[in-house]
Structures are given as C-alpha cells and as structure tokens.
Amino acid sequence: MATEEASKPPSHPPYPEMIMAAIAALGEKGETDESAIAAHIESAYQGLPESHAALLSAHLARMTDDGELLFVEDNYVRPDPTPAAPPKRGRGRPPKPKPNPALTPIAAPAAPRPRGRPPKPKDPLAVAVAKAASGLPRRRGRPPKRVKVAQPAGADAGAAPSPAAVGVKRGRGRPPKVKPAVDVV
C-alpha cells in the first residue's frame, strides 16, 4: 500500500512553481513570509505530502541561495528583473583582470634552470692568453706564502732592517704602541 502511494505522481505542480505563484498572489498584500506562503499553498492545492512544511522550508532556502528569491525583512520577494546600478568602485587601483585559460595558447613547459650561478661570458682574448700562459699546471687551493729573504749587509747601509726581512715572525693583530724613552736627570 505504501508503494502504491509513492509510485503515484503528485497531484500538485513542483514546489518552486507553487512558491512563485503564492508570492505573486500575496505580493499585493505585502505578506510573503513562510507561514503566509504555506497557508496559500495549502488552500490552493489538495493532496500535499505530510512533510509539506519541511519541503517548503527546504525549497525556500534553496531558492534564496540560488538567487531566485530574496529574503528581505522576514519576507520572500522576487528579485528585480532590471539590473541594479553597477557596484561602486572601491579606493585604490582596481585588480588586474584574470587571464582566461580558454583563450591563452598552451605553451610547452620550459626546461628547468640548471642549479648554481650561471657562468660568465668568456672573452676570446682572455681565453687565448690563459691557454698560452699555462705552461705548467697549477696546484689547487691557495698558493703558499713566499718566504722573504734577508737583505745582504751591503745592499743599503742607511736603512734599518725590517723585522720581516730579518726573519722574525710577527704576532697577530696590531703591534703595541712604542713609548718614547724618557731621560732621567
């Protein structure tokens, strides 16, 4: 018996049509809240399901979300068919338009960049000079310090030998300030 009732088509039009008809009929009075719409549908159509109140609420909520109806001051109204004035532009620079992916041509993905710093452009003259000057291969790393040779005594008699020339190893940092000798009288 329950299957016979479920399989038989309803004797009323779909809910969105009934809601729009009720709003059109009640719109002149200004009372288009949910209870007034439900009372109008119940008086106009027979054979409504037992869950009529829940179905009506669900359809009103869906139609409001879809923009078919507006909920203003506890009343449901149809939206104005004429478009409203364009929204006012806010302060500042307007955002850039989004590119339409359907209109842009599809380009092949670029090869990934190699890691590290890109090499400097090679100067052909500098490459030739380096090739000619490279008689012996150089060792890797920092070159060793050159050892200073002490000057012979007869080279420059007037100049005092520097500590580096004598072979005395200097300490690290700034040397201490030399104080003048004071004669005691």
Side-chain angles (χ1 to χ4, degrees):
M1 195 168 174
T3 58
E4 292 174 10
E5 291 178 11
S7 64
K8 131 175 115 167
S11 63
H12 56 80
Y15 267 89
E17 288 181 24
M18 292 192 295
I19 291 171
M20 288 299 202
I23 290 174
L26 297 171
E28 299 156 1
K29 299 177 187 175
E31 285 286 321
T32 56
D33 59 341
E34 188 173 348
S35 62
I37 293 171
H40 184 272
I41 290 175
E42 289 170 1
S43 67
Y45 301 101
Q46 301 300 322
L48 295 172
E50 293 177 8
S51 59
H52 166 69
L55 285 171
L56 179 66
S57 297
H59 280 281
L60 283 172
R62 185 189 54 80
M63 291 174 74
T64 304
D65 290 341
D66 291 345
E68 297 175 36
L69 292 177
L70 296 177
F71 190 66
V72 180
E73 297 177 5
D74 295 332
N75 288 323
Y76 291 94
V77 293
R78 288 184 183 176
D80 192 16
T82 59
K88 288 188 177 180
R89 211 185 89 190
R91 293 178 52 169
R93 185 175 188 158
K96 289 184 178 180
K98 305 269 185 206
N100 190 353
L103 299 178
T104 56
I106 299 173
R113 288 179 32 185
R115 293 182 60 187
R117 186 179 183 139
K120 289 184 178 179
K122 297 194 177 195
D123 183 22
L125 182 61
V127 171
V129 169
K131 195 178 224 184
S134 65
L136 298 172
R138 296 177 67 177
R139 295 189 334 199
R140 294 181 63 187
R142 185 173 181 163
K145 285 189 176 181
R146 294 188 180 159
V147 178
K148 296 205 177 197
V149 181
Q151 293 180 355
D156 191 11
S162 66
V166 176
V168 177
K169 190 170 182 181
R170 287 180 22 195
R172 292 179 57 188
R174 186 178 181 135
K177 190 173 187 180
V178 178
K179 295 182 181 177
V182 179
D183 291 335
V184 178
V185 179

